[in-house]
Amino acid sequence: MARMYFGTDGIRGRVGVHPITADFVLKLGWAAGKVFSSQAGGRKLIVMGKDTRVSGYMFESALQAGLIAAGVDVALLGPMPTPAIAYLTRTFRAQAGIVISASHNPYYDNGIKFFGGDGFKLPDEVELAIESYMDKPLVTEDSLKLGKAHRVPDAVGRYIEFCKGTLPSGSDFQGLKIVVDCANGATYHTGPSVFRELGAEVVEMAVDPDGFNINEDCGSTRPALLQDAVISEKADMGIAFDGDGDRVMFVDHKGHMVDGDELLFVIAKHRHQRGECSGVAGTLMSNLGMELSLKELGIPFYRANVGDRYVIEAMRERKWQLGGESSGHIICSDLTTTGDGVVAALQVLHAMRDTDTPLNALKKGMQKYPQKMINVRIKQKFNLEDFPAIQQAVVAAESELAERGRVLLRPSGTEPLVRVMVEGEDDQQVATLVKQIAAVVEKEIG
């Protein structure tokens, strides 16, 4: 069965437009409560957190009401990074965790995503079970069976201690000056504290959320101000998170961006040197340069479909402990169950300290291939086989690249977009080809 509402990362869209409406989310809370309570052997508990969007208040209340109506207790965490909810779901032995967030999207979007009691994203069959309840009438449990809600006052401290505990005992970052950009999002009160408590000098950026400024000219998708700040502060590096804290990007001391592929390579190489890297899972979007650099080190590499759930599936199938995406979504499964920007950042810092090597030197082991991507907004679902003109444009580009590059067309799982990506050795050739293909896609289905 095809899922009606769930995409690659929960349910996401514009606030006030179906399905991201108060009435739908109320019903979703009840539906999820019915599914998870049917799986519970004893206590029925779901933990819930959110990022800093203004609509989070509304959806937190709606979900809470639906869950309570289904007879489920709710532990409210308030604004917390997505990976913190995954961690605390396991800590509290809850049936599930719910995150209210649209990640790197603007404030006027929002979404709902779930973790199972094991801290991993839900399998398809559970999402389908939740969707099946959306067609049923909402029936409130008898008052004797209603759930209750309570706030968790020490959630922030619990997560900070967890993050620090992912490093070897005795690790510290004294002497490092770090600019930390929290995207006015969910890491605003956790990220800087972790690095500061580990001894680093921290310069904070974008740590004043007002409900509307999340991801606005800041964070991992808008790093220009961070790059300037690293130079002006004479910092050793900059670290940027996205709105919900599951992605991370770095800026080296020269102000140059270090993306997720390069960070993944740095972590993999360091672990390989210690005999601790059995393989790396990337995605169809992972840079070809990373694949080739890992191959030179003798590290196996596998490309999964785009989306952290598919990366994690590939890792679990192969019993690998490291995977990620170029966006900065990096998973260290020996430490946690999902992409965690703070934990990944700590792994990079640990590699720097352990080898006494600056970041710009560590990343030199990987030569990035030029990669260009254009997002084309579309009005309908996209199937390449239905558009011969687009197929011809792709074949022509692949023929020109020969064996020295790749072409990828991928519908977004969260927005009405087709992502057109071209990768190759020559930057100008790549730029020309991606524009040509994007123009054909725009003409055919834009």
Side-chain angles (χ1 to χ4, degrees):
M1 291 178 61
R3 292 172 297 179
M4 291 182 60
Y5 304 114
F6 284 90
T8 57
D9 194 21
I11 303 171
R12 188 182 300 184
R14 185 145 187 161
V15 175
V17 178
H18 184 79
I20 308 301
T21 60
D23 57 336
F24 179 91
V25 171
L26 170 67
K27 186 74 172 288
L28 180 66
W30 174 80
K34 296 296 289 184
V35 170
F36 290 118
S37 63
S38 68
Q39 300 173 348
R43 184 185 184 195
K44 301 175 182 179
L45 174 68
I46 290 179
V47 301
M48 183 163 64
K50 59 183 180 179
D51 65 21
T52 56
R53 293 162 213 272
V54 64
S55 59
Y57 295 100
M58 174 173 65
F59 294 131
E60 180 184 52
S61 297
L63 283 166
Q64 179 182 338
L67 290 165
I68 290 172
V72 176
D73 292 339
V74 187
L76 299 167
L77 307 178
M80 289 290 288
T82 287
I85 284 93
Y87 163 68
L88 291 168
T89 297
R90 304 194 314 275
T91 297
F92 286 113
R93 307 295 193 270
Q95 275 68 59
I98 301 179
V99 185
I100 305 167
S101 174
S103 190
H104 55 283
N105 287 26
Y107 78 91
Y108 47 75
D109 290 336
N110 216 331
I112 314 294
K113 47 190 174 183
F114 294 83
F115 291 104
D118 58 1
F120 288 97
K121 297 288 179 68
L122 298 183
D124 290 346
E125 57 267 24
V126 178
E127 292 182 345
L128 287 169
I130 293 172
E131 289 194 353
S132 71
Y133 270 93
M134 297 300 292
D135 294 327
K136 299 177 181 180
L138 192 160
V139 178
T140 302
E141 291 287 335
D142 183 83
S143 293
L144 286 172
K145 296 182 180 179
L146 291 176
K148 298 179 180 179
H150 68 277
R151 294 277 172 187
V152 181
D154 61 345
V156 170
R158 283 173 178 257
Y159 177 63
I160 289 172
E161 290 304 309
F162 160 72
C163 290
K164 293 190 298 181
T166 61
L167 290 173
S169 179
S171 298
D172 74 73
F173 302 129
Q174 290 188 32
L176 286 180
K177 184 176 184 180
I178 307 173
V179 183
V180 180
D181 179 348
C182 295
N184 289 313
T187 59
Y188 77 97
H189 54 345
T190 57
S193 296
V194 170
F195 303 113
R196 189 174 288 120
E197 291 182 21
L198 286 166
E201 179 185 350
V202 175
V203 179
E204 299 181 357
M205 282 184 61
V207 291
D208 298 301
D210 61 9
F212 306 97
N213 59 3
I214 186 170
N215 301 313
E216 185 179 17
D217 296 324
C218 57
S220 62
T221 56
R222 298 287 188 274
L225 294 177
L226 175 63
Q227 292 174 282
D228 292 342
V230 169
I231 298 299
S232 64
E233 293 283 348
K234 295 182 172 58
D236 294 291
M237 75 202 68
I239 300 175
F241 303 111
D242 68 338
D244 73 330
D246 62 0
R247 299 185 185 190
V248 65
M249 294 284 193
F250 271 61
V251 174
D252 68 20
H253 71 280
K254 295 183 177 181
H256 299 145
M257 283 301 302
V258 186
D259 70 9
D261 286 340
E262 292 170 304
L263 297 175
L264 189 55
F265 172 78
V266 167
I267 298 170
K269 182 179 180 181
H270 178 241
R271 290 186 169 206
H272 178 67
Q273 291 169 342
R274 299 167 62 92
E276 299 172 353
C277 185
S278 53
V280 174
T283 74
L284 297 172
M285 300 296 291
S286 297
N287 194 276
L288 185 59
M290 180 179 71
E291 180 179 358
L292 297 177
S293 298
L294 291 173
K295 185 177 181 180
E296 288 180 6
L297 294 173
I299 301 174
F301 177 75
Y302 175 81
R303 290 184 185 273
N305 288 328
V306 175
D308 67 297
R309 64 185 293 165
Y310 303 114
V311 174
I312 292 172
E313 284 176 8
M315 292 166 62
R316 297 178 81 176
E317 287 173 4
R318 291 161 180 77
K319 295 182 171 56
W320 293 351
Q321 297 179 331
L322 190 60
E325 303 180 85
S326 55
S327 62
H329 202 133
I330 297 173
I331 305 112
C332 304
S333 65
D334 55 329
L335 304 174
T336 189
T337 58
T338 189
D340 189 315
V342 176
V343 169
L346 292 176
Q347 289 293 294
V348 175
L349 292 173
H350 176 49
M352 293 172 60
R353 267 294 158 94
D354 196 41
T355 60
D356 195 26
T357 308
L359 181 58
N360 68 330
L362 284 178
K363 71 173 184 175
K364 283 181 180 177
M366 172 187 154
Q367 182 177 354
K368 285 180 65 177
Y369 273 48
Q371 187 182 85
K372 305 288 185 183
M373 185 169 68
I374 295 177
N375 292 326
V376 181
R377 190 161 292 274
I378 58 175
K379 299 177 182 177
Q380 62 191 79
K381 287 187 176 181
F382 173 71
N383 186 340
L384 183 59
E385 294 179 358
D386 297 334
F387 297 93
I390 299 175
Q391 288 179 289
Q392 292 169 9
V394 171
V395 170
E398 289 176 334
S399 176
E400 187 171 334
L401 289 166
E403 300 280 321
R404 302 184 305 276
R406 301 187 300 135
V407 177
L408 179 67
L409 270 65
R410 184 183 69 85
S412 168
T414 58
E415 300 175 85
L417 302 171
V418 169
R419 307 193 192 282
V420 181
M421 188 275 286
V422 176
E423 184 175 46
E425 292 180 325
D426 182 82
D427 188 70
Q428 185 57 51
Q429 181 189 44
V430 167
T432 300
L433 291 175
V434 75
K435 289 178 183 177
Q436 290 175 354
I437 298 172
V440 176
V441 174
E442 173 72 34
K443 179 181 178 182
E444 294 292 316
I445 54 176

